[in-house]
Amino acid sequence: MRLRHLLVSSLAAAALCLYLAMFFASPLPSLAGISGVAVRRIAFYQFLLLPEFLAAQWCGSPAELSLLDRLPILLAAAAILGCAAAIGWLLLAVCRVDRQFSRLESCVFSTTVGLNVLSTYVLGVGLLGWLGSRTILALPAVLALLAAVHWWMRKKSRAASHDPPGPAQRPCRAPAAPGRGPEPPLDSGLAWFWTGLAAGPFLLVVLLGAVLPPVDFDVREYHLQAPKEFYQQGRIGFMPHNVYANMPLGTEMLSLLAMVLIGDWWWGALVGKTVIAAFAPLTALGLLSAGWRFVSLKAGMVAAVIYISIPWIVQVSTSGLVEGASACYLFMAVYAMLLWQKAQTPASPCQDAPCLQARYVALAGYLAGGAVSCKYPAVLFVVVPLVVWLFAVHRAGRPLRLGKALGSFMLAVAVGCGAWFAKNWALTGNPTYPLLAEIFDGATRTPEKNRQWNRVHQPKDFSLRALGSDLARVGLQSEWLSPLLFPLAALGMLNPRHRRTAWIVLSWFLYTVGAWWLLTHRIDRFWIPVLPLLALLAGAGAEVWWEVPNWVRRVVVVVLVVLLVWNLLAVTSGPGGYNRYFVSLARLRTAPERVDPWHRYFNAHVTEGRVLMVGDAQVFDLEVPVLYNTCFDDSLLEQLTKGRTAQQIQAAFDEQGISHVFVHWGEISRYRTSGYGFTDYVQPDLLEWLVEQKVLEPLPPQEYPAGHQHLGRGYRVIRQSVRAEPPEGGAANN
């Protein structure tokens, strides 16, 4: 047996060396402008040998060290998370789902459930038009917190005043350490210390990055812009100008909650962004707990460190993107299913095991619904695999009533995300708006728009060459992969003690990648929610190294430390995410490197009226009223000008209160060349004609930071334009 372990370890070490050689030799386009050579190893050397380069980015120029202005944001985010945990804990206790949970399990499940409950509640309040009332949003959380405290004190009082129950009445208890393997050759105190030391820098980066203003396109277009508009309107409704704002926005509701409670959309957005980032450490705690229950304590520790150090996870979490939340809901749903599967063992001492199994299935369904409330693709990547799991266990002859289990699961899914489908059905006639427009139709959707959407969001190339290239990107060349993840996950498949869990994880991963390649437009962020499962498998793989000689283990530890350092350098560099960690938020709010100079100009000079944005949908940082549309929606400029005389256009602008117009030709060109599409009506000669007819007056060009080129142009609306007819066949009639 010892010889077998040595052989497996030797083969694993050789495979690891080969993978790392290929990993650090692979392209890294985002760093090409910094290192001059777009390979990971060059970037690693530069950042490691020139730490002052990173320090200059972190502190800005001129340098500053500002942290106190982050404190109110962190306190507000902690308050929301605390209320969510209290609500979730109370619900789990009332439903008696937590009877076999450890304290850590109870904390993680409660917080995850509570966040989805809060999100659904904010949606309901917003649809009723009550966003103007802070009390309505704050009162349920306060009541839930008080009820949770009362419930806990009552439980303690009963435990102190009654004798322990007899064997017939004894409730289910969690096993001391089910499935736990041998402990690492360190006492538990040191093990926790080293785990905290390894994970600590990444947790700090997530914390520092989460409170920064957004820079990502999707975040400024709808993840934060949609709740900003809901807050300004005082209600949640249909947005005909932003198709993305009509899809499920489960995590965005947490930002809306913060905006209402704080009374400011900008600061509330930073609080919400911080709450969304908290899903990453929450998942890491879930991995720690799941590793302890299903593999071993050390496997859970390794899995937590590996997950929180994955550059992809740090990047999406600090950017305000929702994939980290989807990953958390996915993993916790799988966790609940593993608990359900374990509770079905015939030797279970629990007398109400069937009821407990149904509760676990319902918990998994509710968490799967939480994933769907973040993004539609979770139906494909979370709900479908869980349903297949239910059927597979039934066919395996387990003591399970399939109809009851499936009914409980789907009902819980509907509770977790059904409000979003009902909202879209009521507002647009299409519960899956804007998807499946050919079946349900839906407000503002036309066959042409549907074709445009499908053309962008469906895969195009199914050749073997494309398959090989995309699989290489998934396993090796994706820019923000961790070099630790896949080697250790592969090693986890060789761990004989946990093969059942390993095969579940591997099957889920292969299904995810297959569905991603066949049915989506193959953006990396669509498959990364499966990363927690790979991290758990990697934790099981790390167990193998503890069974090799001490000197081999020391070498492995050194390699792991070096690779963690690489991950840290990757996530703290500029391309790895916005990294102005110590620059004051007041300065970052208007920083030229982050805010478009034209946006700064309008914020400073527009005192009345609205700005019509053409081609520019990243409008979050605009503090003045704006009109805009995405490339998938009707062009507002086209609606206001097509087929009209100059006087009619002037009247239309006056009616809409438009005082300025901004045309982002760079974005329009990108849409047209990338396949997204943009209406052909908007052309330079249209704007030239409006200037000639004295409808618009060009504004002076704005200066941009060195190395940046902008093809946008701003205009002021002239209030008294001359009456003129557009030239025959001219731009206004195209």
Side-chain angles (χ1 to χ4, degrees), residues 165-243:
Q169 295 81 31
R170 186 173 292 122
C172 302
R173 294 183 181 275
R180 189 165 59 174
E183 294 296 331
L186 296 170
D187 61 59
S188 59
L190 282 177
W192 286 106
F193 171 78
W194 289 116
T195 302
L197 187 63
F202 297 96
L203 292 171
L204 184 61
V205 169
V206 170
L207 188 68
L208 292 174
V211 299
L212 296 177
V215 297
D216 185 86
F217 184 99
D218 287 357
V219 176
R220 295 198 285 191
E221 183 188 37
Y222 74 98
H223 286 306
L224 289 180
Q225 175 60 23
K228 171 189 171 183
E229 291 187 53
F230 294 146
Y231 167 75
Q232 292 174 331
Q233 296 169 2
R235 66 180 300 110
I236 294 175
F238 176 66
M239 287 192 186
H241 56 279
N242 191 334
V243 64

Side-chain angles (χ1 to χ4, degrees), residues 54-86:
L54 289 177
Q57 292 183 352
W58 298 345
C59 300
S61 180
E64 60 180 323
L65 187 64
S66 178
L67 289 175
L68 290 180
D69 57 352
R70 275 76 166 163
L71 187 58
I73 297 174
L74 296 175
L75 291 176
I80 292 176
L81 290 168
C83 290

Side-chain angles (χ1 to χ4, degrees), residues 561-586:
V561 170
V562 171
L563 298 182
L564 286 175
V565 171
W566 154 253
N567 284 347
L568 188 61
L569 291 174
V571 300
T572 55
S573 64
Y578 196 49
N579 64 348
R580 303 302 189 262
Y581 302 127
F582 306 113
V583 182
S584 65
L585 295 177

Side-chain angles (χ1 to χ4, degrees), residues 17 50 52 137 150 170 173 187 192 207 267 293 341 355 376 439 455 492-493 517 568 590-591 612 637 669 687:
C17 292
L50 299 174
E52 65 274 10
L137 286 173
H150 173 72
R170 186 173 292 122
R173 294 183 181 275
D187 61 59
W192 286 106
L207 188 68
W267 291 101
R293 180 176 282 273
Q341 191 166 337
C355 295
Y376 280 134
I439 298 176
R455 183 175 64 250
M493 293 301 301
W517 195 79
L568 188 61
T590 59
L612 174 60
L637 180 64
S669 176
L687 278 302

Side-chain angles (χ1 to χ4, degrees), residues 356-646:
L356 189 60
Q357 294 167 23
R359 294 167 195 153
Y360 285 153
V361 170
L363 177 60
Y366 184 75
L367 294 170
V372 176
S373 75
C374 297
K375 269 193 171 183
Y376 280 134
V379 174
L380 179 66
F381 295 132
V382 184
V383 176
V384 171
L386 290 175
V387 170
V388 172
W389 193 342
L390 286 172
F391 275 95
V393 171
H394 173 69
R395 289 180 62 86
R398 296 296 182 89
L400 167 72
R401 294 180 180 177
L402 179 62
K404 180 179 179 181
L406 190 59
S408 299
F409 177 82
M410 295 308 298
L411 178 61
V413 170
V415 173
C417 65
W420 290 103
F421 294 90
K423 168 247 184 188
N424 276 344
W425 201 342
L427 297 181
T428 71
N430 180 355
T432 61
Y433 185 94
L435 308 181
L436 302 180
E438 60 275 9
I439 298 176
F440 296 107
D441 192 14
T444 77
R445 292 292 97 187
T446 64
E448 181 180 354
K449 289 180 183 177
N450 192 42
R451 285 192 296 269
Q452 179 191 6
W453 177 276
N454 292 337
R455 183 175 64 250
V456 173
H457 294 88
Q458 289 180 353
K460 302 175 181 63
D461 189 352
F462 292 94
S463 66
L464 290 177
R465 181 177 181 180
L467 177 61
S469 175
D470 292 333
L471 291 181
R473 193 169 85 248
V474 169
L476 183 67
Q477 296 176 353
S478 185
E479 287 194 88
W480 309 118
L481 286 177
S482 169
L484 290 168
L485 183 64
F486 282 101
L488 289 180
L491 197 59
M493 293 301 301
L494 302 177
N495 192 329
R497 291 193 295 270
H498 313 290
R499 283 182 176 170
R500 176 178 296 177
T501 302
W503 277 108
I504 291 174
V505 171
L506 179 63
S507 300
W508 200 303
F509 173 71
L510 293 177
Y511 163 79
T512 299
V513 173
W516 168 82
W517 195 79
L518 292 171
L519 302 173
T520 75
H521 52 317
R522 301 173 188 170
I523 295 178
D524 286 354
R525 287 194 283 112
F526 274 54
W527 67 264
I528 65 173
V530 80
L531 289 178
L533 298 183
L534 288 179
L536 181 63
L537 188 57
E543 279 193 326
V544 175
W545 295 114
W546 294 108
E547 299 172 354
V548 298
N550 288 336
W551 69 270
V552 176
R553 191 182 309 156
R554 294 189 186 100
V555 172
V556 172
V557 169
V558 171
V559 172
L560 296 182
V561 170
V562 171
L563 298 182
L564 286 175
V565 171
W566 154 253
N567 284 347
L568 188 61
L569 291 174
V571 300
T572 55
S573 64
Y578 196 49
N579 64 348
R580 303 302 189 262
Y581 302 127
F582 306 113
V583 182
S584 65
L585 295 177
R587 177 171 151 191
L588 291 177
R589 183 166 185 171
T590 59
E593 65 189 27
R594 194 188 69 83
V595 183
D596 190 300
W598 278 108
H599 293 194
R600 299 174 67 206
Y601 174 87
F602 292 133
N603 286 338
H605 293 88
V606 176
T607 56
E608 61 180 9
R610 296 193 283 186
V611 182
L612 174 60
M613 312 294 290
V614 183
D616 186 358
Q618 297 185 80
V619 297
F620 172 77
D621 289 298
L622 280 161
E623 301 176 16
V624 297
V626 297
L627 294 172
Y628 73 100
N629 60 269
T630 72
C631 64
F632 296 109
D633 297 302
D634 291 328
S635 170
L636 298 178
L637 180 64
E638 182 175 358
Q639 290 179 332
L640 294 172
T641 62
K642 189 172 185 179
R644 298 186 179 187
T645 66

Side-chain angles (χ1 to χ4, degrees), residues 264-283:
D264 183 272
W265 62 264
W266 198 79
W267 291 101
L270 300 188
V271 173
K273 186 168 171 281
T274 305
V275 173
I276 293 172
F279 278 99
L282 188 64
T283 309

